[in-house]
Amino acid sequence: MFVISVPTSRFPLFTLTGHRDGLMEGLMITARILGGVSLLAAVGFATPFIEFMAALFMAQGPEALYRDNDVAYRYLFVFLEDATTIYSAQKNRLGYAGIRKGLNSFGVLTGSLVLRGLEQSQKTADAMTQRGYTGDMPLLEGKPLRALELAVASLIVAFGGAVWMI
């Protein structure tokens, strides 16, 4: 058991008590989350988005998953361009000259992006409805896996499972 005592102005003594088992479990969960995010990032950077979406489609997940991912991927770059434009305008007007101005400018940039996102989502929904959108998104038809690809995938999954159980 470990105890951390932190004096504060409101409370003369604040005590946080923890157990070694809880700390180890928390570290294990953190390591698993970081491993999963790292794996997803590696797959995301190594696989073109269209092929990734086709693989999700072949896995027969919920249709809303690929529809939402497709739209989110498209608008990710639109918002990145908007953020770059706003940041450049703020920087040219000395919006990041000091820490206080920088934090204020960052808040304005974030708020502007949220408002633009809401406006863009409404415009996109209206445009799609007017064009007869029914909820179906055309995706690539996946080709079946070859025996070698299936064997390699099985080995990777078995290795990952073995590492997971350690």
Side-chain angles (χ1 to χ4, degrees), residues 98-163:
I99 293 175
R100 179 173 281 191
K101 276 186 161 183
L103 288 174
N104 187 30
S105 295
F106 182 73
V108 170
L109 180 129
T110 305
S112 297
L113 285 178
V114 168
L115 291 176
R116 285 188 187 199
L118 291 172
E119 291 172 3
Q120 186 65 45
S121 68
Q122 187 61 45
K123 288 178 186 176
T124 302
D126 291 344
M128 292 173 77
T129 302
Q130 290 172 354
R131 291 184 178 103
Y133 175 68
T134 61
D136 296 330
M137 300 283 283
L139 294 172
L140 291 177
E141 290 294 324
K143 49 189 174 190
L145 292 174
R146 296 183 309 216
L148 178 63
E149 293 171 335
L150 193 57
V152 169
S154 298
L155 285 174
I156 290 172
V157 168
F159 178 74
V163 170

Side-chain angles (χ1 to χ4, degrees), residues 49 66-79:
F49 183 74
Y66 3 101
R67 183 180 58 237
D68 292 347
N69 277 342
D70 195 24
V71 172
Y73 183 77
R74 190 254 186 265
Y75 284 104
L76 176 72
F77 296 105
V78 172
F79 291 129

Side-chain angles (χ1 to χ4, degrees), residues 78-102:
V78 172
F79 291 129
L80 181 62
E81 185 178 336
D82 285 346
T84 304
T85 303
I86 295 170
Y87 176 77
S88 296
Q90 287 176 336
K91 194 168 182 179
N92 288 339
R93 293 181 180 96
L94 300 176
Y96 293 93
I99 293 175
R100 179 173 281 191
K101 276 186 161 183

